[in-house]
Amino acid sequence: MFWFLYVIFSITACHLIAVNWKDKYLHIMTILLLLMLTPTQIELASTGLAPSIFTFIYNVILERDMSLRVLRPLAISLPLGVLMLFTFLILKNKFSQ
């Protein structure tokens, strides 16, 4: 239930931010969704998941833990998402001409 509500509110927030740039809407929406929805393990021993970027901010500010372990999923999902976005845009331009 928590993840369902979080995804709905994340999509809404990303849309409200990205709608300000109508010409780059798809780019901004994709990157913001990837940043907000990429999950990571909270601790090594637990199976609980949390959003990666917020877990990193929590660790740095409140726990004084500078580990980049929680950002590893972003290092995978962000380049793949951008690659898929550009592939989609190239195919869209190629087939719409």
Side-chain angles (χ1 to χ4, degrees):
M1 183 66 173
F2 166 73
W3 274 101
F4 177 73
L5 291 175
Y6 179 73
V7 168
I8 296 297
F9 287 125
S10 294
I11 291 171
T12 305
C14 291
H15 169 71
L16 291 176
I17 293 170
V19 79
N20 293 327
W21 295 277
K22 292 181 182 8
D23 55 335
K24 300 288 184 189
Y25 176 82
L26 189 61
H27 299 89
I28 294 171
M29 183 76 170
T30 303
I31 291 171
L32 286 176
L33 277 175
L34 285 171
L35 284 174
M36 294 182 76
L37 294 180
T38 302
T40 190
Q41 280 185 327
I42 298 173
E43 295 176 354
L44 289 175
S46 72
T47 59
L49 296 175
S52 164
I53 194 76
F54 297 121
T55 305
F56 176 73
I57 293 170
Y58 172 78
N59 285 345
V60 168
I61 293 175
L62 297 177
E63 293 185 357
R64 306 277 187 218
D65 181 18
M66 295 296 292
S67 173
L68 298 177
R69 179 190 57 82
V70 295
L71 293 179
R72 286 181 194 161
L74 274 177
I76 296 170
S77 66
L78 203 57
L80 285 177
V82 171
L83 180 68
M84 288 174 30
L85 172 69
F86 285 126
T87 303
F88 170 75
L89 292 175
I90 289 170
L91 289 175
K92 181 179 147 187
N93 287 340
K94 189 170 191 107
F95 289 119
S96 66
Q97 292 178 355

